[in-house]
């Protein structure tokens, strides 16, 4: 027998607990899953500040995310619309680098005789905006509020995390997200999105996408520090002649809470495919619940009143 195997054989054996009656074992199996585990100790809120002005569109973040989370490729199709061929966030693309190609007259430059576009011929008012998009880790997350099974939680780092084993695939979260982030997998049937690398954070590691970004466009850290860093960067850009520089999601609005993944943009949010004023669908739904309750009460009250008045 090899020495390692001998070590194992002679190591102290774990004492097996005394066997319990079949009724106790049955009750354990029946009730055990409903026992609440001990909540992990709360940590400082962590998140992302994405400075789109320094993103070069290399897509290292997308690749790092796929690699770390072992997400499959989405095929090798050309969209035909852009040099960005990922297209959108999905159950298997938890990061997506958007290429926003802006031309002064909304027309791309004409190709030359050989069918190519020469960079020398491009007018100066052509610009490409790059933005690495991801789940916004909303402080009050509509996806979490809409989930009927409790599969979506805020974890100890104040990030929005999906527990796929509890997700029943109903898709309520998909409809609730105002950013079109969360998607249901056609393979597993469960909803998926960025986990903010919960597994890496628990081991004290920086999320894979932020680690891979060569320009520090994606910055990870305690939210309060990130907000201060972003505020200084906006001031600097204004001084350097970029009047359009602005924050997106770093502060709450009338209809939405702040985001734990917020952005520095240089144009209106719609230009980047972000809603100017995101709206939490729950604000509509509370009114719907109220109206439904009133309608139900009236429906019961009318026959009851009729019975009391004329039925007796
Ligand atoms: S961006 Fe969408 S998926 Fe992400 S936490 Fe907010 S509501 Fe949920
Ligand atoms: S934090 Fe992790 S899961 Fe989220 S986009 Fe980055 S690499 Fe992917
Ligand atoms: S790795 Fe950084 S620079 Fe490259 S596309 Fe992603 S955010 Fe942009």
């Amino acid at each position: 027998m090899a020495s390692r195997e001998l070590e194992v054989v002679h190591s102290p054996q774990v004492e097996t607990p005394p066997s319990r009656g079949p009724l106790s074992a049955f009750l354990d199996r029946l009730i055990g899953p409903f026992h609440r585990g001990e909540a992990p100790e709360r940590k400082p809120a962590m998140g992302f500040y994405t400075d789109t002005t320094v993103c070069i569109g290399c897509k290292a973040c997308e690749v790092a995310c796929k690699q770390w989370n072992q997400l499959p490729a989405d095929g090798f199709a050309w969209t035909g619309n852009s040099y960005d061929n990922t297209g959108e966030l999905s159950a298997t693309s938890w990061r997506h680098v958007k290429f926003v190609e802006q031309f002064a007259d909304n027309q791309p430059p004409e190709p030359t005789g050989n069918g190519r576009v020469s960079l020398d011929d491009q007018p100066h008012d052509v610009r490409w905006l790059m933005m690495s998009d991801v789940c916004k880790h909303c402080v009050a997350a509509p996806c979490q509020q809409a989930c009927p099974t409790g599969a979506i939680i805020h974890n100890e780092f104040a990030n929005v995390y999906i527990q796929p084993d509890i997700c029943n695939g109903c898709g309520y979260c998909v409809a609730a997200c105002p950013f079109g982030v969360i998607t249901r997998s056609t393979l597993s049937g469960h909803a998926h999105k960025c986990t903010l690398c919960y597994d890496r954070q628990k081991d004290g590691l920086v999320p894979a996408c932020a680690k891979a970004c060569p320009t520090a466009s994606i910055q990870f850290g305690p939210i309060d520090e990130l907000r201060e860093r972003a505020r200084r960067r906006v001031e600097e850009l204004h001084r350097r002649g970029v009047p359009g520089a602005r924050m997106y999601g770093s502060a709450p609005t009338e209809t939405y809470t702040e985001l734990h993944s917020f952005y520095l943009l240089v144009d209106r949010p719609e230009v980047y495919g972000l809603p100017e004023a995101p709206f939490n669908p729950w604000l509509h739904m509370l009114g719907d619940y109220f109206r439904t309750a009133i309608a139900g009460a009236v429906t019961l009250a009318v026959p009851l009143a009729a019975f009391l008045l004329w039925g007796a």
Side-chain angles (χ1 to χ4, degrees):
M1 199 181 280
S3 60
R4 177 68 192 127
E5 286 172 87
L6 281 171
E7 267 177 51
V8 172
V9 168
H10 293 117
S11 62
Q13 299 298 305
V14 179
E15 276 186 30
T16 47
S19 66
R20 312 179 59 195
L23 184 62
S24 307
F26 174 72
L27 285 176
D28 278 355
R29 289 192 62 181
L30 195 68
I31 302 167
F34 295 98
H35 282 151
R36 271 183 180 270
E38 202 172 317
E41 189 190 340
R42 193 173 281 274
K43 301 278 174 25
M46 306 295 276
F48 285 133
Y49 149 46
T50 303
D51 181 350
T52 62
T53 60
V54 292
C55 177
I56 53 172
C58 65
K59 292 199 178 237
C61 49
E62 271 192 37
V63 176
C65 178
K66 281 211 182 263
Q67 196 169 26
W68 179 258
N69 294 295
Q70 301 186 342
L71 299 172
D74 299 312
F76 299 99
W78 297 102
T79 60
N81 300 320
S82 163
Y83 287 103
D84 162 33
N85 290 296
T86 308
E88 59 188 356
L89 290 170
S90 72
T92 49
S93 289
W94 299 350
R95 266 224 177 252
H96 167 223
V97 183
K98 294 181 177 177
F99 291 2
V100 181
E101 293 146 35
Q102 288 186 318
F103 303 100
D105 54 0
N106 289 328
Q107 293 296 321
E110 289 295 322
T112 53
N114 60 8
R116 294 186 179 158
V117 173
S118 161
L119 286 178
D120 296 338
D121 297 339
Q122 298 222 5
H124 292 295
D125 43 8
V126 168
R127 70 172 176 176
W128 283 26
L129 306 175
M130 313 287 183
M131 176 195 145
S132 185
D133 196 16
V134 74
C135 168
K136 313 298 178 293
H137 294 278
C138 313
V139 169
C143 60
Q144 185 254 329
Q145 292 165 338
C147 176
T149 66
I152 304 181
I153 57 164
H154 280 97
N155 64 19
E156 65 266 37
F157 301 103
N159 308 146
V160 180
Y161 180 76
I162 305 179
Q163 306 166 91
D165 52 334
I166 307 178
C167 169
N168 70 3
C170 66
Y172 287 7
C173 54
V174 177
C177 173
F179 300 101
V181 166
I182 206 163
T183 317
R184 199 171 45 183
S185 162
T186 48
L187 289 175
S188 70
H190 300 149
H192 293 280
K193 68 165 194 70
C194 159
T195 63
L196 227 154
C197 280
Y198 182 43
D199 49 351
R200 289 177 65 93
Q201 282 198 66
K202 279 200 294 187
D203 285 341
L205 298 173
V206 171
C209 52
K211 186 80 183 166
C213 177
T215 63
S217 173
I218 303 171
Q219 300 187 28
F220 167 77
I223 283 290
D224 293 340
E225 278 178 30
L226 294 178
R227 285 201 190 109
E228 179 53 26
R229 205 181 296 168
R231 190 189 59 73
R232 287 200 304 268
R233 174 75 174 147
V234 170
E235 282 176 5
E236 181 198 346
L237 287 168
H238 287 170
R239 273 198 310 277
R240 289 169 60 176
V242 188
R246 70 197 71 189
M247 296 314 303
Y248 182 82
S250 60
T253 65
E254 273 182 22
T255 53
Y256 214 78
T257 53
E258 64 267 45
L259 313 175
H260 278 174
S261 172
F262 60 88
Y263 289 83
L264 191 161
L265 310 176
V266 293
D267 208 330
R268 289 171 298 114
E270 297 99 307
V271 169
Y272 297 84
L274 295 168
E276 175 87 46
F279 199 92
N280 186 333
W282 273 95
L283 299 179
H284 287 302
M285 288 163 74
L286 289 176
D288 291 344
Y289 287 140
F290 183 68
R291 282 186 286 277
T292 307
I294 296 283
V298 170
T299 311
L300 285 176
V302 169
L304 188 65
F307 175 76
L308 290 176
L309 286 174
W310 296 292

